[in-house]
Amino acid sequence: DGGEAIASVGASPVIVRARIGRGTLIVIGDTRFFDNANFDIKSGGSPANHLFLTQLLRLSGVCVEPRVKDPRK
């Protein structure tokens, strides 16, 4: 099984999910997907990027907290 395309550009898959045993592997074919500029609001990142990543992780069965908690509290 080559996995399931989660997102494509035209006919080319750019995000693929594959089940491996009891786990899930997600491959993202964008070398800058996790670049700080995409997620840091002060650098022009969009809140939509956070929402997209959260939804992607939930789709893959990962439990995601809606906000990062301050570890000092």
Side-chain angles (χ1 to χ4, degrees):
D1 179 16
E4 166 193 9
I6 295 175
S8 298
V9 175
S12 301
V14 292
I15 302 177
V16 176
R17 174 179 64 180
R19 303 280 182 196
I20 299 175
R22 295 184 337 186
T24 300
L25 173 69
I26 298 174
V27 177
I28 301 172
D30 178 347
T31 58
R32 300 189 117 186
F33 182 78
F34 285 108
D35 192 37
N36 285 342
N38 286 330
F39 291 96
D40 183 10
I41 303 301
K42 294 177 185 176
S43 298
S46 170
N49 292 337
H50 291 267
L51 179 60
F52 174 77
L53 181 58
T54 299
Q55 290 174 338
L56 178 64
L57 291 171
R58 283 190 181 136
L59 175 69
S60 298
V62 176
C63 180
V64 179
E65 290 292 324
R67 296 182 194 161
V68 176
K69 296 178 182 175
D70 187 341
R72 297 172 289 179
K73 293 184 178 181

